[in-house]
């Protein structure tokens, strides 16, 4: 049931501008899924959906790592604004966020396909990103800084 619901969510956000969880709940219910807000919230987290600004200045859900028409990756401005600092220590990139935002930012980082990144671990306000070697870690930190504007 969960995989069918996840497939339905992906189809819904592809064909329409879903701005809120309530919009998504309404769409899912029209398709026969009896869901709660908690279930949809969990699905959004598991699918690593982010919000981007769509037409008319309204936000909508998209899959992370989606490319815009110019070929650049589009990430949620809210997630980028959640990053306080990006630093590097040996083969680790350390990203500090506002409290409660580290896991969401880590999910976005994991979709970036930055060279050398092996994985990340997020707490409440800190992310450790393991990188293959110190040189790649410095480059990865620089890439993350550019994306989040730090």
């Amino acid at each position: 049931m969960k995989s069918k619901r996840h497939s339905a969510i992906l189809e819904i956000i592809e064909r329409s501008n879903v701005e809120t969880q309530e919009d998504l709940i309404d769409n899912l219910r029209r398709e026969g899924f009896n869901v709660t807000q908690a279930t949809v919230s969990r699905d959004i987290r598991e699918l690593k959906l982010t919000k981007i600004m769509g037409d008319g200045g309204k936000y909508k859900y998209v899959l992370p790592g989606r490319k815009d028409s110019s070929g650049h990756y589009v990430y949620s401005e809210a997630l980028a604004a959640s990053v306080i600092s990006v630093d590097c220590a040996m083969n680790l990139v350390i990203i500090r966020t506002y409290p409660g935002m580290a896991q969401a930012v880590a999910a976005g980082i994991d979709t970036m396909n930055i060279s050398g990144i092996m994985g990340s671990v997020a707490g409440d306000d800190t992310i450790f990103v393991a990188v293959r070697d110190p040189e790649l870690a410095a480059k990865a930190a620089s890439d993350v800084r550019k994306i989040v504007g730090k």
Side-chain angles (χ1 to χ4, degrees):
M1 185 65 158
K2 182 179 184 179
S3 64
K4 287 181 183 180
R5 190 176 63 247
H6 281 192
S7 293
I9 289 170
L10 296 176
E11 288 175 20
I12 290 166
I13 66 168
E14 282 297 316
R15 73 171 181 252
S16 60
N17 291 337
V18 177
E19 297 176 23
T20 64
Q21 288 185 11
E22 291 79 22
D23 291 344
L24 189 53
I25 290 167
D26 291 344
N27 278 284
L28 284 167
R29 287 183 177 161
R30 278 194 291 275
E31 294 196 14
F33 293 93
N34 186 18
V35 293
T36 64
Q37 186 276 329
T39 299
V40 169
S41 180
R42 193 170 33 256
D43 289 341
I44 288 169
R45 204 171 39 254
E46 289 172 2
L47 290 168
K48 299 179 182 175
L49 300 181
T50 59
K51 280 189 169 182
I52 63 166
M53 188 174 295
D55 299 333
K58 295 184 177 183
Y59 284 89
K60 65 179 183 175
Y61 283 105
V62 296
L63 282 170
R66 179 181 151 271
K67 290 187 179 182
D68 68 11
S69 59
S70 65
H72 294 94
Y73 283 98
V74 177
Y75 292 95
S76 166
E77 290 177 25
L79 288 183
S82 299
V83 174
I84 296 170
S85 67
V86 180
D87 206 348
C88 184
M90 297 300 289
N91 70 318
L92 289 177
V93 175
I94 297 94
I95 302 168
R96 298 293 313 242
T97 70
Y98 290 104
M101 295 304 298
Q103 291 185 10
V105 171
I109 298 292
D110 288 344
T111 67
M112 289 183 192
N113 297 322
I114 295 174
S115 179
I117 289 182
M118 304 194 56
S120 64
V121 177
D124 184 56
D125 63 358
T126 305
I127 306 163
F128 292 122
V129 182
V131 185
R132 199 167 301 283
D133 63 51
E135 291 165 5
L136 286 173
K139 180 167 180 352
S142 175
D143 290 346
V144 171
R145 278 189 207 100
K146 287 177 191 169
I147 290 167
V148 299
K150 301 288 179 199

